[in-house]
Amino acid sequence: AREFAGFGIRVMTIAPGLVETPLFAGLPEPARNALEELTLFPKRLGRPEEYARLVESIFTNPLLNGETIRLDGAIRMQPK
C-alpha cells in the first residue's frame, strides 16, 4: 500500500472464511453442520452477497488502505 499510495492506488485484501458457494452444495449435511459450528457468530456459512457488500464498502470508503479484513464470523479452523 505504501509503495502505490503516491499513485493514488489503494491496496486492500479480504480474508474470507467459509462462504456458501456451489462447492458446498454437495457436502453432506453432517459435514456442513460441523463447519457451521466452528463459526462463532453467526452460526452459518457466509453468503456471497455479504462478500459483495464488503467489497462495495471498501470501494466507497477512500480512507481504507493497506489492510486485510477478515470476513469469517470469527471462525478458527482446528489443526489436523
Side-chain angles (χ1 to χ4, degrees):
R2 290 177 179 253
E3 184 177 336
F4 295 110
F7 300 104
I9 298 171
R10 298 184 296 140
V11 179
M12 292 292 298
T13 56
I14 299 173
L18 301 173
V19 178
E20 199 165 341
T21 63
L23 177 69
F24 287 101
L27 198 62
E29 194 67 27
R32 181 186 174 99
N33 291 341
L35 290 173
E36 288 175 347
E37 279 301 311
L38 293 175
T39 307
L40 296 180
F41 183 80
K43 286 243 180 246
R44 60 173 174 77
L45 300 178
R47 298 180 181 133
E49 58 269 17
E50 292 167 326
Y51 187 96
R53 227 180 355 219
L54 179 56
V55 170
E56 180 181 31
S57 295
I58 291 169
F59 182 76
T60 58
N61 189 333
L63 196 57
L64 291 174
N65 192 14
E67 190 61 66
T68 298
I69 300 174
R70 291 181 46 224
L71 185 67
D72 61 9
I75 191 171
R76 292 293 183 267
M77 300 297 284
Q78 300 298 318
K80 287 190 169 199

